[in-house]
Amino acid sequence: MRTFRTSFALVATLALAMTACSSPEPSTEAVPRVSVVTVGPQRVQRDDELPGRVAAVRTAQIRAQVGGIVQRRMFEQGAEVSAGQALFQIDPAAFRADVDSALAALQRSEAALSRSRVQSQRLHALAAAQAVSQQHRDDASAEYDQARAAVNEARAILSRRQLDLRYATVSAPIDGRIDQALVTEGALVGVADAEPMAVVQQIDQVYVDVRQPASQLEALQRGAGGGDALPVTIIGAAGKPLAERGRLLFSGVNVDARTGDVVLRILVDNPGRQLLPGMYVRARVPRGAPSDALLLPQQSVLRSAGGQAYAWVIGGDGRAVIRTLELDGSVDRQWLVRHGLQAGDKVVVEGQERLQEGVTVDARDWPMPVAKAAAAGAAAQG
């Protein structure tokens, strides 16, 4: 019996020792791994995207300067025309007849002038010999002056009739693109017509009129550098850029009392004729000159329940802390930070859901996407 008890005690002691040796130690929680980006000053150009409307640089309404029947249309509708190119032909027969009549009247006046000259010279000679009275000599001089005036009048009438004949061929006053014809062959046109015969618009360059808050006008004018070319991008309805550069001409002299905006007129080159008068576009206009700023990827900025922006920052001791941020809009899909960060801070981009205040983290550099890296490199070079 004593031997059995001794054996049982020995087995129990061995089992207890084995159990103690096989018991796991308490596990420690793994250090969270996060991706961070080190912020630094970058050259940033702030832009405003504003609605605008396109207007032609020059617009000419083609109107008849003499009345008559349209015989021919001498252009292709929608084509490019040059200054002085014939567009319409009004029946010139009546104007040619007027020119011939005025020419005949001039010839009669010149013949009368020649006769008056000879008569005046003869009477002056006789008056010097006291063969005729002084009255006859004065009358001859007056008739000669009247004949000269009649010749000048006849020449002016002839010039006017020739001008009417030239106006019978309606020409383009400017280079540009002509719209559709608003009259057809056989139509009766006149000087007092309310509607033009056609419209020519110069659109190799166009104006883009946009509205800008008056508070930002001074910064925009400084960035324009006294009218130099601005990196204005004109965007069409489909979101496709239609022009890349423009020149700020002037701003309106009045501020809209309802909106606080002023009108800006930008001159834009339009060699491809993609911008058409009356088209609504959006103009990406720079807001002042480029400046240095801190940028953050959008996914690194979080919002509290009250809407306050904040980000996780890894301190020098490797611990995560929260920084509240003041943002100033976005540039190229990155937040521009006005207050809350300093150059050299490491901001968490990925892995924020595993963080707590003061926890030690395993920080790795964030693998920036290729497109963003190329954009950041271009901005740094600029």
Side-chain angles (χ1 to χ4, degrees):
M1 188 66 174
R2 184 179 301 169
T3 303
F4 174 77
R5 288 178 178 175
T6 302
S7 300
F8 179 79
L10 181 60
V11 170
T13 302
L14 292 174
L16 182 60
M18 293 177 63
T19 303
C21 292
S22 62
S23 298
E25 295 181 357
S27 61
T28 58
E29 187 177 355
V31 176
R33 178 180 296 178
V34 295
S35 298
V36 299
V37 62
T38 302
V39 297
Q42 300 183 36
R43 202 68 172 170
V44 174
Q45 175 63 66
R46 303 292 305 278
D47 295 329
D48 291 321
E49 194 165 302
L50 306 171
R53 193 170 186 178
V54 180
V57 171
R58 291 195 294 173
T59 300
Q61 294 184 343
I62 308 303
R63 294 182 178 273
Q65 293 180 277
V66 293
I69 302 296
V70 177
Q71 285 187 331
R72 284 189 301 158
R73 173 174 59 83
M74 307 163 69
F75 64 92
E76 291 294 331
Q77 301 179 85
E80 295 284 338
V81 297
S82 56
Q85 179 178 335
L87 302 178
F88 294 95
Q89 180 62 59
I90 298 174
D91 186 2
F95 305 110
R96 288 199 184 101
D98 290 341
V99 169
D100 293 340
S101 176
L103 181 58
L106 175 60
Q107 291 172 346
R108 287 196 304 269
S109 298
E110 289 175 339
L113 176 61
S114 179
R115 185 175 62 251
S116 298
R117 183 186 300 113
V118 173
Q119 182 70 13
S120 177
Q121 292 173 350
R122 182 182 299 119
L123 290 177
H124 273 71
L126 293 175
Q130 296 184 351
V132 294
S133 65
Q134 187 70 24
Q135 181 66 40
H136 284 84
R137 188 192 68 173
D138 294 342
D139 291 344
S141 297
E143 289 178 2
Y144 175 63
D145 291 338
Q146 290 176 355
R148 282 197 304 176
V151 168
N152 292 333
E153 182 182 10
R155 284 175 180 167
I157 293 174
L158 176 61
S159 296
R160 178 60 190 179
R161 297 295 178 257
Q162 291 172 337
L163 187 61
D164 290 343
L165 178 61
R166 188 162 69 248
Y167 284 159
T169 302
V170 182
S171 303
I174 62 173
D175 297 333
R177 177 171 291 182
I178 193 167
D179 211 336
Q180 75 270 21
L182 302 179
V183 296
T184 59
E185 291 85 349
L188 175 63
V189 295
V191 178
D193 290 347
E195 293 294 328
M197 303 173 71
V199 176
V200 177
Q201 299 181 90
Q202 182 182 343
I203 58 173
D204 57 340
Q205 290 183 315
V206 294
Y207 296 132
V208 177
D209 295 331
V210 299
R211 289 184 172 272
Q212 175 89 338
S215 59
Q216 300 177 7
L217 182 60
E218 183 179 356
L220 178 62
Q221 291 174 337
R222 286 198 306 267
D228 295 335
L230 286 170
V232 178
T233 301
I234 306 301
I235 304 171
K240 177 183 177 182
L242 301 179
E244 294 295 337
R245 299 194 69 83
R247 184 162 61 90
L248 178 64
L249 297 182
F250 67 88
S251 60
V253 296
N254 294 321
V255 177
D256 192 324
R258 297 171 299 175
T259 63
D261 294 342
V262 293
V263 175
L264 303 179
R265 169 156 284 187
I266 301 170
L267 180 64
V268 179
D269 290 333
N270 188 35
R273 308 302 195 269
Q274 292 180 295
L275 297 171
L276 302 177
M279 179 185 294
Y280 284 98
V281 295
R282 298 191 68 81
R284 190 173 295 143
V285 182
R287 186 191 300 176
S291 59
D292 292 333
L294 299 179
L295 297 179
L296 280 181
Q298 288 186 343
Q299 62 265 40
S300 64
V301 178
L302 307 176
R303 296 277 181 178
S304 65
Q308 175 64 53
Y310 69 92
W312 287 96
V313 178
I314 307 304
D317 57 357
R319 297 179 181 275
V321 294
I322 290 178
R323 294 271 187 88
T324 58
L325 306 178
E326 182 179 344
L327 305 179
D328 190 18
S330 62
V331 176
D332 294 331
R333 298 184 179 180
Q334 299 183 82
W335 291 114
L336 191 150
V337 181
R338 178 180 294 175
H339 296 297
L341 292 178
Q342 295 179 355
D345 286 343
K346 294 183 177 181
V347 181
V348 179
V349 181
E350 296 176 349
Q352 299 99 319
E353 67 279 358
R354 296 189 291 270
L355 298 182
Q356 294 181 1
E357 184 78 19
V359 68
T360 301
V361 300
D362 179 13
R364 306 291 178 88
D365 288 336
W366 178 56
M368 184 181 297
V370 177
K372 289 186 177 180
Q381 294 176 0

